[in-house]
Amino acid sequence: AQSVTQPDIHITVSEGASLELRCNYSYGATPYLFWYVQSPGQGLQLLLKYFSGDTLVQGIKGFEAEFKRSQSSFNLRKPSVHWSDAAEYFCAVFHTGTASKLTFGTGTRLQVTL
Amino acid sequence: KAGVTQTPRYLIKTRGQQVTLSCSPISGHRSVSWYQQTPGQGLQFLFEYFSETQRNKGNFPGRFSGRQFSNSRSEMNVSTLELGDSALYLCASSRGTLAGGYEQYFGPGTRLTVT
């Protein structure tokens, strides 16, 4: 079965430091991959997506992610974190065909210290 | 362009009652998906509607149902509420096709509390 793993439940970084959130997926075909961010009590905001082509994708708010097929990974990065980036981040894989739904990872909560 | 809207934002219901949640997708989007988010189970897919037809369904009991109207607005109904149905219910809209794009845009959610 298709699945998404986010191994880090909680990460704390200092403002201005770099960030990398890990995501591994299990999916038979070429995956459609997404990263979403959720602030407390809010819905999910799409940060970036990967469908095909260039494996390094740029998103909003200065985030980028790299698709590595050999490692089944789609890690999210940001060179310099801002306090406003504190939130929960979800990686998701989209199933095409008869099961067109998003499967989410369990999320990584990011705390930013000043 | 207006985003996805969900009404109501908050609901408190009693066990055994039923509830209807509403979702208005982004203009031009024909696919609406519903997700349940709880601390214990995370984000789980309920069902997806595309052009008024249920295209996919997750592993939820029959108490959870939905529909989509000709203007793409969607409603979700939960009958005979249980305490475990307390959750944030998220609606997401998408063009829903390979040509149009599969990325889903989420509404703010409806927080349902069952007492």
Side-chain angles (χ1 to χ4, degrees):
Chain A
Q2 298 88 348
S3 65
V4 177
T5 302
Q6 294 180 248
D8 303 307
I9 295 173
H10 185 228
I11 284 183
T12 300
V13 299
S14 301
E15 188 175 41
S18 64
L19 172 70
E20 182 168 24
L21 302 182
R22 296 183 290 164
C23 172
N24 292 95
Y25 66 89
S26 169
Y27 188 61
T30 300
Y32 292 174
L33 294 161
F34 303 87
W35 274 98
Y36 285 88
V37 62
Q38 185 179 36
S39 297
Q42 302 298 314
L44 281 74
Q45 182 181 23
L46 179 64
L47 284 175
L48 48 77
K49 64 190 180 193
Y50 172 78
F51 284 175
S52 64
D54 193 350
T55 56
L56 183 63
V57 294
Q58 302 297 321
I60 62 172
K61 303 185 177 187
F63 285 94
E64 66 177 26
E66 186 171 12
F67 171 63
K68 293 185 177 180
R69 184 187 300 277
S70 62
Q71 298 177 20
S72 297
S73 69
F74 188 56
N75 294 348
L76 181 72
R77 300 194 295 248
K78 187 170 185 178
S80 178
V81 170
H82 187 263
W83 65 266
S84 61
D85 294 324
E88 189 148 23
Y89 292 79
F90 293 93
C91 180
V93 62
F94 183 77
H95 308 250
T96 59
T98 59
S100 55
K101 65 176 184 177
L102 280 172
T103 295
F104 287 89
T106 51
T108 297
R109 181 164 298 280
L110 173 66
Q111 183 176 355
V112 180
T113 57
L114 301 176
Chain B
K1 185 183 274 190
V4 179
T5 59
Q6 291 187 246
T7 57
R9 292 291 312 278
Y10 302 91
L11 266 179
I12 300 176
K13 290 286 188 179
T14 304
R15 273 181 300 175
Q17 289 185 316
Q18 73 165 18
V19 67
T20 299
L21 312 182
S22 180
C23 172
S24 292
I26 293 170
S27 177
H29 286 192
R30 294 160 64 190
S31 168
V32 173
S33 299
W34 289 88
Y35 295 83
Q36 181 195 66
Q37 185 178 26
T38 60
Q41 299 298 316
L43 283 152
Q44 294 186 286
F45 172 76
L46 281 156
F47 31 66
E48 183 226 4
Y49 286 85
F50 182 84
S51 293
E52 301 181 68
T53 300
Q54 186 181 85
R55 190 160 65 172
N56 292 293
K57 189 177 189 307
N59 296 322
F60 278 81
R63 300 185 297 106
F64 292 82
S65 63
R67 59 177 174 169
Q68 187 179 34
F69 302 95
S70 58
N71 61 358
S72 293
R73 189 176 70 84
S74 177
E75 287 182 348
M76 189 191 95
N77 184 274
V78 187
S79 63
T80 317
L81 284 166
E82 301 176 0
L83 294 179
D85 297 333
S86 294
L88 182 65
Y89 290 89
L90 293 162
C91 162
S93 86
S94 164
R95 295 193 184 277
T97 64
L98 182 60
Y102 288 123
E103 55 267 39
Q104 297 186 6
Y105 297 90
F106 284 78
T110 295
R111 170 74 63 186
L112 172 64
T113 301
V114 182
T115 62

